[in-house]
Amino acid sequence: MAATPESPQLDEATRVVSLRSQHGAGLLGVPHRGLRLTWRSESARTGAAQLAYQLASGPADAELEPGDVVESRDSVAVPVGDLEPGERRAFAVRIATDSGWTAWSEPLVVEAGLEATGLQARVIGIPTEIEGPAALLRTVFSLDAVPNRARLRLSALGLVDAWINGRPASTAVLTPGWTSYQARVLLDTVDVTALLHEGENTIVLQVGDGWYRGRMGFAQRRAIYGDRSGAIAQIDSEDGIIVATDTTWRGGFGAVRSASIYDGTHTDLRATAVGVHEAEFDDSSWIAAQIIDADQGVFEPRSAPPVRVVAELDMARTDVDGAVRFDAGQNVSGWVRLVVRGSAGAAVTVTHAEILEPSGALHTAALRTAKATDTYVLDRDGEHVLEPRFTFHGFQHAEVSGPVEVISATAVAISSDLPARSSFRSASDALDRFHSNVFWSQRDNFVSVPTDCPQRDERLGWTGDAQAFAATASTLMDAESFWRSWLRDLEADQTDEGGVASVVPDIIRFEDMRMGDGPVNNMGRAGWADAATIVPLAVYESTGSDEVLHQQLESMRRWVEHLRRRAGDEIVLPTEPFQYGDWLDPDAPGARPWQAKVSSDYVANAFYAHSARLLARAESVVGDPGRAAEYEALADRVAEATWARWGAEAVTTQTGAALALEFRIAPEAERVRVADALAANVRAENGRISTGFLGTPLVLFALSNNGHLDEAYLMLLRREAPSWLYQVDRGATTVWERWDAILPDGRIHSGAMDAGSHDEGGSMLSFNHYAYGAVIDWVYRTVAGIAPAEPGYRVVRIAPRPARGMEHAAASVDTPYGALAIDWRLEDGVLNASVEVPFGATGALDLPITTDSVVTVDGQPASAVLPSGKHEITVTAPAVAGN
């Protein structure tokens, strides 16, 4: 190595540009155990690489002490040990290249949160009706001086907003979010130093039922986790606890008269607790807060970003008889911020919908029992700004009625605050729009948990949807901490036998869900429960961090062993009374979306083999090599038996063939035949897709990975129903749940299905449902041609695939090493591509060449490996799909 700490030759062309923990930027009070650091570097020299690194650390307000030099190229998710609860520790890093050491990075301060044992506060509340008036809890405390650093620890059994001296304490909404509350509840840490002042200070908490006690699920269950909602809060500093929730607090009510996630909020501004944020407020008519009996050991530091406002969209208005309709131009999750002018006592109603009926009226049938309506009563004459609390709606359109002048409306979009990670544009405006639609469906459904849809009386964390979309989600957004948090709930809700629920957090009871002739067991359903293995590996491949595998390895083992016990001596799984199968196959009966063309027994066993293979891979990375070999052999046995029993019939369907190829069910000698038959099916159907939730993420890979790129593009770019771009042509701004949600003649699908007595009318229809958007993973890897060849993009595959009608594409992904980007164009029979490979990564070229092609990189003959830096690639006479 060219430099040592004692001989600090400087590499002035290279610098460390960022240093972060696995919890992302800006999150205070993170878990104190298992801290990992990732850093990025940039260099003006092509091909520069890290040869070693040195970390420095120490108390946040002190000089950092350098540690040992580590000869390693690792810069992603490097373990650095544990912190003490509440500790603030600073870190910096420098790296060595063959030209010397860089300067030290800017320091990163990581602040650990408090464990439940560090809380003096107790959960408090006052008696309230379920989804009735939201309780207000308040107290006054005095400060001789404002501390240097004050932290609010905040959470709830339910939902909570906090104000200090009349100002919001946090930008987060729907705090603390939804987890498997019986196992863990997230505890937020908020810097409130700037909100405090000398003398008397007031803290006010408003508490709603939310997911904890409010109505949830199509069975309309209430009080699923507990029969009382309450909040817990504590402000502390380096000198100790300043104030904490206890029985000295007092509680009453204010303007929020009811609040329901499904139904909306009723706000009567005449009931506002005027002056509640002032120390002099007279709360003598209020009652003393009560301690709510709760296991406070479940509270733990927040590990994933909270839900926040992520966009605000001006809404276009249309005046109709007696009302005003608004259009956000985009389907969102959130609410309408309304500005009105009216008289005291005037009532205002805001109703929401994803789309309009052909008549122009709001389409509300798809809401099922969810009212999705916010109402207000004005308290005075004049102008008002109106927003609901403790609710959200899935909508693009809203209608406002009432005897008021409507001045403006803004669609306020919320989501778990995950940074966008990628970009894409191409020669197809429709494909670009679909890419945007997929991004918005992820944003709208990643609201604390990965939900199926944001508008109806469901909004549950369906595991099948999540596993189908996990790879795409991890490309579109930096979702690692989001997935790790949700996977902890998946494990918390696993049965003692290892079964995995269909929804996580699991609120479904056996009698809640009926498909066909009886209730459905929601545990251990194929393609849904396999999220236990599929999601961790998708996150690992996208991020390069093995933390998720360490965290979930035991859960993965329990799931595969659960399958092995169910199979017993028969090797393959027995026929179950119910499986979801290739859900929403477009050819399935409308009322029975589980009755797909492909056998559900075949699907179940294909996923069994796949989960065993994924577990084998996880074992080889972080577990036991002996177990890795054992699970790989198990996968081979299950695949062989599955093929022997169901293969011949299964591969006559698109999903069956895709599973056979992508999950390695078909024997090697049969793969060409299966792929050729799949391609023939696609050609004969002119690209018509006939896959459901489980086949859709796989079918284009099955084609392109086996030499049938022409047919993959035929399917991708099809405009007739059913297809991805058909919905774009129908004006979609998010992804539909059903391929034919709007029929070719303009009618809206009824959504009918046999979903049980609780589901009034059996409607299952959403226009904001990301599952079919899983195709975008293929678009990045194949159309744009950038993908991780090794986990975390340490080696990237550069593999653009031009096609007739797709002569240009550009994309970028914010990898752990930095930006990976490509911009390619096919002109006059020559493919020109500008490529950027981040520092610390290398590129593996997989270009669309023919026997007549000449390939150059930066004007020179191409080599197999592309070093980091910016490059210009030229391919003459390239292969072009569809010609």
Side-chain angles (χ1 to χ4, degrees):
M1 194 167 61
T4 67
E6 295 75 22
S7 172
Q9 176 182 336
L10 286 179
D11 180 353
E12 296 182 350
T14 306
R15 62 193 183 105
V16 180
V17 295
S18 72
L19 176 64
R20 64 178 180 87
S21 78
Q22 74 266 46
H23 306 295
L27 194 61
L28 284 179
V30 300
H32 71 94
R33 298 186 189 278
L35 185 66
R36 293 175 176 235
L37 299 180
T38 294
W39 56 89
R40 294 179 180 177
S41 303
E42 293 178 353
S43 183
R45 295 182 295 111
T46 298
Q50 172 184 307
L51 303 177
Y53 67 83
Q54 185 179 27
L55 287 166
S57 65
D61 301 321
E63 185 174 347
L64 304 188
E65 180 178 342
D68 295 334
V69 173
V70 180
E71 293 192 16
S72 170
R73 294 177 181 265
D74 291 343
S75 62
V76 174
V78 175
V80 294
D82 299 338
L83 304 181
E84 293 297 321
E87 180 184 0
R88 298 179 74 246
R89 179 165 287 272
F91 298 88
V93 66
R94 64 174 182 165
I95 68 168
T97 71
D98 59 4
S99 295
W101 285 94
T102 66
W104 288 98
S105 69
E106 290 294 318
L108 167 73
V109 175
V110 179
E111 182 172 327
L114 296 185
E115 298 295 321
T117 54
L119 295 176
Q120 180 176 300
R122 300 291 301 277
V123 180
I124 63 170
I126 60 175
T128 59
E129 299 174 7
I130 294 178
E131 295 186 338
L136 292 171
L137 307 169
R138 74 183 294 275
T139 196
V140 177
F141 59 97
S142 184
L143 290 173
D144 294 332
V146 175
N148 292 328
R149 190 163 39 250
R151 299 292 186 256
L152 170 65
R153 321 293 178 174
L154 181 68
S155 191
L157 302 180
L159 300 176
V160 61
D161 288 333
W163 294 263
I164 296 176
N165 296 321
R167 291 187 285 173
S170 171
T171 58
V173 299
L174 302 178
T175 300
W178 192 9
T179 50
S180 293
Y181 293 128
Q182 78 283 358
R184 63 192 197 103
V185 182
L186 299 182
L187 179 70
D188 281 22
T189 294
V190 185
D191 183 354
V192 295
T193 313
L195 301 182
L196 301 177
H197 55 237
E198 291 183 11
E200 290 190 321
N201 293 259
T202 305
I203 178 171
V204 176
L205 309 178
Q206 189 170 44
V207 184
D209 289 329
W211 298 282
Y212 184 83
R213 194 177 71 146
R215 177 167 69 102
M216 287 303 300
F218 32 74
Q220 304 187 43
R221 292 188 178 276
R222 291 171 170 81
I224 293 172
Y225 295 99
D227 59 4
R228 294 194 65 185
S229 295
I232 185 169
Q234 173 176 300
I235 299 178
D236 50 60
S237 72
E238 57 267 39
D239 297 323
I241 295 172
I242 296 171
V243 66
T245 45
D246 58 21
T247 56
T248 66
W249 289 52
R250 296 186 67 79
F253 300 101
V256 177
R257 310 311 298 168
S258 66
S260 164
I261 285 180
Y262 289 165
D263 293 337
T265 300
H266 174 55
T267 305
D268 188 341
L269 295 174
R270 298 171 301 182
T272 299
V274 178
V276 70
H277 299 294
E278 305 297 326
E280 299 79 14
F281 176 74
D282 181 5
D283 61 7
S284 59
S285 64
W286 287 18
I287 64 174
Q290 303 167 348
I291 301 296
I292 294 177
D293 186 22
D295 177 9
Q296 293 201 183
V298 300
F299 290 100
E300 64 176 43
R302 174 173 290 283
S303 56
V307 177
R308 289 194 175 98
V309 173
V310 294
E312 296 186 2
L313 307 174
D314 292 336
M315 302 184 76
R317 72 180 286 159
T318 301
D319 292 293
V320 296
D321 291 341
V324 182
R325 290 192 187 131
F326 286 97
D327 182 355
Q330 173 63 56
N331 209 355
V332 302
S333 286
W335 55 80
V336 174
R337 180 190 300 128
L338 199 61
V339 180
V340 303
R341 186 178 292 114
S343 302
V348 181
T349 300
V350 185
T351 54
H352 305 79
E354 293 182 304
I355 64 166
L356 299 179
E357 297 281 359
S359 67
L362 299 188
H363 173 76
T364 59
L367 299 176
R368 298 198 299 216
T369 66
K371 295 177 182 176
T373 300
D374 297 320
T375 58
Y376 306 88
V377 179
L378 305 188
D379 63 331
R380 55 180 171 78
D381 296 348
E383 191 170 296
H384 297 71
V385 179
L386 306 175
E387 291 188 75
R389 290 198 177 275
F390 303 138
T391 192
F392 67 96
H393 313 292
F395 71 100
Q396 178 175 329
H397 304 274
E399 184 170 291
V400 181
S401 60
V404 296
E405 176 190 358
V406 181
I407 298 172
S408 67
T410 302
V412 178
I414 64 168
S415 181
S416 289
D417 193 12
L418 307 178
R421 190 186 186 197
S422 60
S423 66
F424 175 81
R425 55 188 171 85
S426 72
S428 169
D429 292 341
L431 183 60
D432 294 355
R433 177 69 242 193
F434 186 73
H435 175 273
S436 172
N437 293 359
V438 176
F439 177 85
W440 271 101
S441 277
Q442 179 175 352
R443 172 179 272 181
D444 295 342
N445 282 290
F446 274 35
V447 178
S448 191
V449 301
T451 62
D452 56 325
C453 59
Q455 93 292 355
R456 66 179 177 235
D457 56 355
E458 199 162 346
R459 313 184 203 185
L460 306 179
W462 286 94
T463 47
D465 309 41
Q467 68 82 11
F469 192 65
T472 293
S474 299
T475 297
L476 292 177
M477 296 182 188
D478 181 1
E480 179 189 2
S481 60
F482 177 90
W483 284 124
R484 284 203 320 268
S485 179
W486 182 73
L487 285 167
R488 288 193 59 205
D489 295 320
L490 181 148
E491 183 172 13
D493 286 336
Q494 271 185 278
T495 65
D496 292 341
E497 296 78 25
V500 177
S502 297
V503 300
V504 171
D506 182 22
I507 63 167
I508 293 179
R509 305 296 177 261
F510 179 72
E511 64 271 20
D512 290 352
M513 193 163 61
R514 292 177 176 272
M515 302 286 180
D517 301 324
V520 168
N521 180 0
N522 101 98
M523 303 300 296
R525 301 305 90 198
W528 272 248
D530 297 281
T533 55
I534 294 171
V535 175
L537 266 297
V539 174
Y540 170 60
E541 177 164 301
S542 178
T543 65
S545 171
D546 63 9
E547 181 178 9
V548 69
L549 301 184
H550 280 287
Q551 174 185 298
Q552 296 302 126
L553 183 61
E554 188 57 36
S555 170
M556 297 171 72
R557 287 171 173 169
R558 290 174 61 206
W559 167 237
V560 173
E561 288 301 325
H562 171 85
L563 291 171
R564 179 145 61 174
R565 284 193 298 273
R566 277 166 57 186
D569 295 335
E570 297 299 316
I571 302 179
V572 295
L573 296 166
T575 296
E576 298 281 352
F578 176 80
Q579 291 279 10
Y580 297 110
D582 191 26
W583 183 261
L584 279 174
D585 175 330
D587 301 313
R592 294 183 171 237
W594 59 91
Q595 290 186 352
K597 295 182 291 294
V598 64
S599 161
S600 62
D601 287 331
Y602 169 80
V603 169
N605 284 282
F607 272 89
Y608 175 16
H610 185 53
S611 276
R613 292 197 202 284
L614 293 176
L615 176 55
R617 186 178 176 198
E619 294 282 6
S620 69
V621 175
V622 300
D624 181 343
R627 284 189 171 189
E630 174 191 348
Y631 287 123
E632 191 66 46
L634 172 64
D636 288 343
R637 291 196 301 274
V638 175
E640 181 180 10
T642 300
W643 178 259
R645 186 172 300 186
W646 296 286
E649 179 181 354
V651 298
T652 62
T653 68
Q654 289 182 7
T655 291
L659 289 169
L661 295 168
E662 291 302 297
F663 287 0
R664 292 160 50 194
I665 305 301
E668 193 65 33
E670 297 285 347
R671 291 180 62 84
V672 171
R673 180 183 66 80
V674 172
D676 287 349
L678 173 60
N681 173 290
V682 173
R683 285 195 305 273
E685 296 286 343
N686 195 31
R688 179 184 185 273
I689 190 164
S690 63
T691 56
F693 278 20
L694 300 185
T696 297
L698 306 173
V699 65
L700 295 190
F701 284 109
L703 290 165
S704 61
N705 288 342
N706 293 279
H708 294 289
L709 187 63
D710 290 0
E711 290 77 13
Y713 265 115
L714 180 64
M715 183 175 281
L716 176 71
L717 299 179
R718 176 184 166 93
R719 307 296 279 263
E720 298 81 9
S723 69
W724 290 285
L725 301 188
Y726 166 79
Q727 52 192 273
V728 172
D729 291 341
R730 287 287 173 173
T733 63
T734 45
V735 182
W736 296 349
E737 180 176 22
R738 293 179 181 265
W739 290 113
D740 56 351
I742 297 178
L743 302 170
D745 63 7
R747 289 179 297 122
I748 300 171
H749 195 291
S750 70
M753 63 170 289
D754 295 343
S757 59
H758 296 297
D759 186 8
E760 297 178 359
S763 175
M764 190 186 74
L765 183 67
S766 171
F767 295 86
N768 199 349
H769 200 290
Y770 54 61
Y772 289 142
V775 69
I776 291 298
D777 184 43
W778 185 88
V779 169
Y780 272 89
R781 292 168 181 260
T782 310
V783 178
I786 51 176
E790 290 185 6
Y793 297 83
R794 186 164 195 160
V795 176
V796 301
R797 178 172 290 108
I798 309 299
R801 293 295 185 263
R804 187 173 59 189
M806 187 58 66
E807 291 86 9
H808 170 245
S812 66
V813 176
D814 189 27
T815 80
Y817 301 94
L820 167 66
I822 189 170
D823 188 335
W824 65 259
R825 189 174 299 274
L826 181 67
E827 292 181 312
D828 300 325
V830 177
L831 178 70
N832 293 294
S834 298
V835 174
E836 182 176 1
V837 178
F839 182 97
T842 57
L845 292 179
D846 179 7
L847 300 173
I849 60 174
T850 65
T851 55
D852 297 324
S853 296
V854 175
V855 180
T856 60
V857 175
D858 301 326
Q860 302 297 319
S863 60
V865 177
L866 201 63
S868 63
K870 296 182 178 179
H871 305 280
E872 297 296 326
I873 300 173
T874 299
V875 181
T876 64
V880 178
N883 284 345

